[in-house]
Amino acid sequence: MTHDPQGNTESPDLNTSVPHSARVWNYWLGGKDNYPADRAAGDHFIATFPSIVEIARHSRHLLTRVVQHLAREEGVRQFLDIGTGLPTVDNTHEVAQRVAPDARIVYVDNDPLVLTHARALLTSTREGRTSYVDADLCDPAAIVKQAEDTLDFNKPIALMLMGILGHIPDERQPHKIVERLVRELPSGSFLSIWDGVNLVTGEALDEAQEDYNEGGAIPYHLRSPDEIARFFDGLELIEPGIVSLSRWRPEPNAFGEAGEVDALCGVARKP
């Protein structure tokens, strides 16, 4: 085993010379589960598109607000969070179980690094349950089959796809993947999505994204508002609809309304 200067433990088969999207995101959030290649890639992206740090932080606050709303206002007690990423502050199970200690959460990822951290850091209340599924978003059937060990698919489930669909290229048919997952959910379930767009920044974001995608990490594909809206076809969007993730039911503060960022989100109910 070797160690990174920031205190990371490196397994022999872990290639730390290539940036990893989950670790780069962890770096932008101020975490310590990253390596020099991740920080270099993150800094290079920031140099062209400084707002990525703001988007990363808004995404964490958004997840908290969405889970709180679904657990408290909608009475959801089951969450299927696909694309877990590295654990950080206020993960889905922590937020949900603060509201409802009996909440059940299934995290899904197919990255060994993410799953190693998840098993070590993600826990559950005595009343609830948290489990981890090693599966690929492009294989919805495998996800559902394994999630059934923890979740009751006869009762409402919140499907969380937060910042993950951009990693699925168009040729892998992301809309059909989401449609397949939603089809397995009972009436009264919810779909929550956020993903990147380019409505605010323009050329600088396109340049930063292109450089990042060519740097060895898993590519991320920005989509149009219409493409994001299509993920919610057949569902009932709850207020305020599809908006910048900084504008989805923001908490009152002394600084007024937050500015828009290049990421859209929405939460919808399955009739």
Side-chain angles (χ1 to χ4, degrees), residues 9-271:
T9 299
E10 180 183 337
S11 63
D13 58 351
L14 180 62
N15 184 359
T16 61
S17 65
V18 176
H20 184 286
S21 58
R23 296 194 307 254
V24 172
W25 198 257
N26 175 268
Y27 173 56
W28 287 333
L29 286 170
K32 295 182 178 180
D33 294 312
N34 48 74
Y35 294 89
D38 308 308
R39 298 191 281 275
D43 287 339
H44 185 70
F45 200 108
I46 290 170
T48 307
F49 181 53
S51 297
I52 189 60
V53 175
E54 183 182 12
I55 290 175
R57 292 173 181 170
H58 273 302
S59 74
R60 294 309 302 178
H61 296 313
L62 172 72
L63 182 137
T64 299
R65 298 197 304 274
V66 167
V67 175
Q68 283 179 338
H69 173 82
L70 292 174
R72 182 178 294 132
E73 307 301 329
E74 307 290 352
V76 176
R77 295 295 179 266
Q78 303 189 108
F79 294 81
L80 180 56
D81 187 342
I82 303 177
T84 305
L86 290 169
T88 182
V89 177
D90 272 353
N91 301 285
T92 297
H93 74 287
E94 294 169 320
V95 178
Q97 291 180 344
R98 278 203 300 267
V99 177
D102 61 337
R104 294 187 166 215
I105 296 88
V106 171
Y107 290 101
V108 181
D109 212 300
N110 69 333
D111 187 302
L113 174 70
V114 171
L115 289 172
T116 297
H117 281 268
R119 292 189 182 105
L121 300 178
L122 302 180
T123 57
S124 174
T125 58
R126 184 176 303 174
E127 303 93 328
R129 186 175 174 189
T130 303
S131 65
Y132 318 95
V133 168
D134 183 359
D136 192 321
L137 175 56
C138 293
D139 190 357
I143 291 175
V144 171
K145 182 178 180 180
Q146 295 182 70
E148 286 176 330
D149 291 339
T150 301
L151 305 179
D152 182 351
F153 277 73
N154 294 308
K155 297 179 180 179
I157 294 170
L159 172 60
M160 315 286 291
L161 297 167
M162 310 296 270
I164 185 66
L165 290 169
H167 288 299
I168 309 299
D170 290 341
E171 56 266 26
R172 299 299 297 272
Q173 299 183 305
H175 291 91
K176 287 192 174 182
I177 291 172
V178 174
E179 180 184 358
R180 173 71 173 81
L181 286 166
V182 171
R183 193 186 313 146
E184 297 294 333
L185 305 179
S187 175
S189 293
F190 289 84
L191 171 65
S192 176
I193 289 174
W194 81 257
D195 257 306
V197 294
N198 189 357
L199 299 175
V200 179
T201 307
E203 186 176 340
L205 175 52
D206 289 335
E207 180 182 339
Q209 195 64 64
E210 183 177 352
D211 286 348
Y212 178 85
N213 290 349
E214 293 175 352
I218 299 173
Y220 188 89
H221 308 274
L222 300 174
R223 291 199 161 91
S224 70
D226 286 345
E227 288 173 320
I228 291 178
R230 279 182 53 208
F231 287 117
F232 297 101
D233 283 354
L235 306 178
E236 300 169 346
L237 280 161
I238 67 173
E239 291 295 333
I242 299 173
V243 295
S244 173
L245 53 81
S246 57
R247 301 280 179 87
W248 196 90
R249 298 177 180 254
E251 297 173 351
N253 64 80
F255 304 103
E257 189 175 46
E260 293 192 352
V261 297
D262 274 317
L264 294 179
C265 65
V267 179
R269 181 182 183 276
K270 181 176 179 179

